[in-house]
Amino acid sequence: MNIITRFTIFTLLALVLLPIKDASAQATDTPYQVGVVTDDLAKIDTSVVLTNSGASSTVAFPAQNGAICVNAYAMPAPGTAVTACCTCRVQPNGLRQFSVGKELLISQSSVPHTAVVKLMASTGTGGICNAGTVGTGANVLVTGMLAWRTTPPLSSVLAFDKTSFVPSTLSAAELTALDSQCSTIGSRVCNSTCP
């Protein structure tokens, strides 16, 4: 096989495999992500750290647009119903954080040991975030959300434990359930850093 034939085969393989890599990378940028907090929240609080990759931006100058609302829903284990929800507005390339035990679950009479935390990224309506209306009217789902669960170290020698939320598929039924349960509870801002 001569060099031209090898180059041609290599180029064709690269062109065939390139779209597969891109499709896989884009599939992980979903507006719906799920995480599990398995720490004893009564003893060790866990935080959710958020950023906005800018994937939904359409204007770069003079000011970049594309802020997203990250809407959080908590289901303390072993329950299956949403018992707390809140929202956090994140600018492109911005960084926000909220506590699961002290801020998301603040309305709970007792802090659970474990919880499932679900996140949905949306546009909000007129600059206002509302976790109880995601997917309705102008509050549509968007990409660009990146999220991690962090737990403080047990000693000063160890680093923070950081785990990414898992990109997931959102069904229409799940969207409706999260919206209606959050609407019943009442959506609020997660903390003062989430305007």
Side-chain angles (χ1 to χ4, degrees), residues 65-117:
N65 71 350
I68 61 174
C69 299
V70 176
N71 306 284
Y73 309 84
M75 284 130 287
T80 58
V82 173
T83 60
C85 58
C86 66
T87 188
C88 191
R89 189 164 180 80
V90 185
Q91 296 295 331
N93 310 309
L95 185 66
R96 296 284 184 261
Q97 178 176 331
F98 63 86
S99 155
V100 174
K102 296 176 182 167
E103 294 171 333
L104 176 58
L105 294 169
I106 194 169
S107 61
Q108 305 299 297
S109 57
S110 64
V111 177
H113 290 283
T114 60
V116 173
V117 177

Side-chain angles (χ1 to χ4, degrees), residues 48-75:
V48 175
V49 178
L50 308 165
T51 191
N52 175 351
S53 71
S56 296
S57 295
T58 57
V59 175
F61 297 104
Q64 185 176 3
N65 71 350
I68 61 174
C69 299
V70 176
N71 306 284
Y73 309 84
M75 284 130 287

